[in-house]
Amino acid sequence: MYKYDAIDQQLVNERVAQYRDQTNRYLAGELSEDEFRPLRLQNGLYIQRQAPMLRVAVPYGMLSSKQLRKLGDIAKKYDKGYGHFSTRQNLQLNWPKLEDVPEILAELATVEMHAIQTSGNCIRNITTDQFAGVAPDEVIDPRAMAEVMRQWSTFHPEFALLPRKFKIAVSGTEQDRAIVQAHDIGMEFYKDAKGETAIKVWVGGGLGRTPILGTVIREHLEWQHALTYCEAIIRVYNIHGRRDNAYKARIKILVKALGIEDFKQQVEAEWLYLKDNPNTITEAELARVGQHFEAMPYENLPAHDESFDSAIASNPAFAAWVKRCVHAHKQAGYRAVTLSLKPHGHAPGDITSAQMSVVADLADAYSFGEVRASHEQNLILADVKLSDLFQLWEKAHAAGLATPNIGLLTDIICCPGGDFCSLANAKSIPIAEAIQMQFDNLDYLHDIGDLELNISGCMNACGHHHVGHIGILGVDKDGSEWYQVTIGGKQGNDASIGSVIGPSFSAEEMPGVVQRLIEVYIKERTPEERFIDTVRRIGVPPFKAHVYASKEATNV
Amino acid sequence: MSNLIKDNAIVADEWTRVTPPTLGEETVRKQAGKVVLFKLTGEETFSAEQIAATKIPAGKVLVPFSVWCANKDALASRVSQGEVGLLVATHEAIEDVITEVKDINAFALVAVYVERFADGRIFTIGNLLRTRYDFKNELRAVGDVLRDQLFFLKRSGFNSYLIRADRSATEALASLKDFSEPYQGAVDIAQPAWRRTIR
Ligand code: HEM
Ligand code: SF4
């Protein structure tokens, strides 16, 4: 993975000094609450219900074992001994003290980490596929480009105070796993007819209050121009994006108001001036960064391993885990492994300091010392030998990291919700936990098969509920907490936004509602169909009928 | 003491800022029409009466764009003597300003007014003035200008900063050096880090 040179390190160190000074000025009363807010936000510090929340950047989800150990130490020393992986591949600490943050940042800087631009109205962490570099369907490893973009976006002076936050995702696979269509800018790398790397650029996607999937603004962009083209897009947005109403300030609203044709025309006009400026990427620079992402020193291994095959045959629990948590790899004899941060009955994405240290050890022992965070809020060991899988599983299992539920109903994406977040309409974590307990029977869970269930505590959609096959949204009715249910949302190449099934439910009803949705699916599905396919084929009404029929029956 | 930073030093402000008088009537807010929707919603602009009632004193004057438009001919000779600075607000379209003034370098000073700290349009405007419209003279940030914008303002082509009156310019001065090796090319340093040094 990327290693800092003197320039990277100096910048992060200077940031620590700058932020320490800003914090001191705030604590001394020289900066008002209002003036400190944008400063701390640019540094990932929210003030929440319970305490401040600090979001640490994990650029495109890549972590070294050393960094993960450090995060574990920090969580123990300055927090309550756990952290939370977010849907944007970052790590959040829920209880640090405001006055400790400069010290935390100083510790992070020692392992080449920071919290720069993890919140605030600026370009945020650039995200990508958690299987970058190892996925068999990968056309281009997007990480070198993501790193080039990370550096370019870090303290970009022109875009330091945008109308609203700005999220970029990059992807280089046939099957999009980075939800490029749900980002302000999505960059899809591909090989063009001449065999050159090109980018399909999406713009104006986003979830939140107004969920909109992105539109293609350019089918073919030569990779050298990735940065200058982004500059053109963001410049048009910086000048014309609304600043009078935070809810209408995202680029998606501007794109919609102007229409993609008009917007595109403005961007292209701007780009004529910016194209070929010194931020144009050269082969040499891409190669310099790219050398940090070269293939691991893999051994030449056979495609099969006997000990692995026999463990599968003799140990059903291991087999179930392999089925859900082990993924194909482009190198023969290797696999990628997802460590589930979704044990049933716990807050999705949470991980204790002790677990972080276990994962770091596992990474050192089995996966070249690297770990990745996924936007589904799990951790990945990307390069594990087939012959090591059984041992790895035993250790992960002992640490509570081997729930075989990846991609299943209980692999819930969930925002912090009402337990932590002051914007919430309703709690989300207890709903996730209750649903996980409802579907605690693993055989049943596996029979239901691939299903994505996403929960957000309010329409800001941090939990991506719009693109969940089942989406749950916390709503406020006369001051009490209710939940609205959507079905048919999907991420990926054929992304869609879910449809609301009807009036909302109380917290107690939710596990039963999900149960009834599943009942309809089990009854209606054809042998190959996943939940989402059935919903797409038969539509919302049968689901609606069954859910509300039983609701009336119980209400009588 | 002066609160003006120019080229890394605190200097006296020679310019008198001209502000149209309030005439006791309601402030006029531009109608939110289709095209202007994103530019002008809610932002205050001066009425024709206010502009007409504006008195422009002798000496070096910093004049709002709309006031200058109404007094072009009267101010022409003072412009050529370097006595007129142009004050542009962040919601005014810079390309319209350029079309109107024709030669932006005729002005010894262009100041960009930012009403709220969080309004980052000022950076794009500075950048455009320097890189597209080739403005060579003093480019100043005025309004809600605090030390934590300075580094970005400098990188966007500004070379003077009028720090908000209740803040210390001396302390703000330090922020111009917050970061020693920025990553990306911008107005002040056109080359990105990897083109400047061997990494
Ligand atoms: C607890 C403190 C949090 C607060 C106050 C907060 C606030 C917000 C707000 C206001 C938005 C909507 C922005 C907009 O649409 O303009 C948003 C969006 C989002 N948040 Fe959070 N959030 C919090 C935590 C999280 C966490 C923990 C995650 C990850 C698990 C997260 C992931 C996201 C994502 C992915 C979006 C983007 C939705 C989109 O694309 O529009 N947030 N957040
Ligand atoms: S979706 Fe709403 S409740 Fe959940 S974290 Fe985001 S802002 Fe808070």
Side-chain angles (χ1 to χ4, degrees), chain A residues 48 86-87 92 164-165 167 207-208 250 416 460 462 464:
Chain A
Q48 284 307 315
S86 82
T87 52
Q92 289 186 182
R164 201 70 184 81
K165 60 183 171 183
K167 299 178 177 180
L207 302 172
R250 293 285 291 271
N460 288 316
C462 301
H464 297 177

Side-chain angles (χ1 to χ4, degrees), chain B residues 5-80:
Chain B
I5 297 175
K6 187 180 171 194
D7 299 329
N8 300 318
I10 298 171
V11 298
D13 189 357
E14 304 170 334
W15 296 84
T16 309
R17 182 158 153 197
V18 175
T19 310
T22 19
L23 295 177
E25 49 185 82
E26 259 183 69
T27 28
V28 181
R29 287 178 186 269
K30 283 257 165 145
Q31 281 285 300
K34 176 94 173 72
V35 183
V36 293
L37 189 68
F38 296 103
K39 246 173 238 161
L40 296 175
T41 331
E43 267 135 355
E44 283 183 25
T45 51
F46 303 118
S47 66
E49 293 75 25
Q50 279 179 295
I51 292 170
T54 306
K55 299 213 165 37
I56 303 175
K60 290 185 165 186
V61 284
L62 181 56
V63 185
F65 175 60
S66 53
V67 173
W68 175 80
C69 285
N71 295 280
K72 259 188 218 178
D73 297 336
L75 286 172
S77 66
R78 293 180 63 184
V79 170
S80 55

Side-chain angles (χ1 to χ4, degrees), chain A residues 246-321:
Chain A
Y247 297 124
K248 302 209 182 304
R250 293 285 291 271
I251 193 173
K252 60 193 173 189
I253 307 286
L254 178 66
V255 173
K256 226 174 101 175
L258 293 174
I260 185 69
E261 279 315 312
D262 188 357
F263 181 77
K264 180 182 164 123
Q265 217 176 347
Q266 294 200 32
V267 168
E268 294 279 331
E270 205 54 53
W271 190 47
L272 285 182
Y273 292 101
L274 292 167
K275 190 166 181 267
D276 299 322
N277 82 19
N279 288 331
T280 305
I281 309 165
T282 57
E283 296 269 1
E285 171 63 0
L286 190 64
R288 177 186 75 83
V289 177
Q291 68 193 350
H292 295 282
F293 300 100
E294 272 166 13
M296 291 297 180
Y298 296 118
E299 291 170 37
N300 259 327
L301 297 175
H304 289 278
D305 180 85
E306 260 176 48
S307 66
F308 171 74
D309 293 341
S310 67
I312 295 251
S314 61
N315 189 328
F318 176 62
W321 179 75

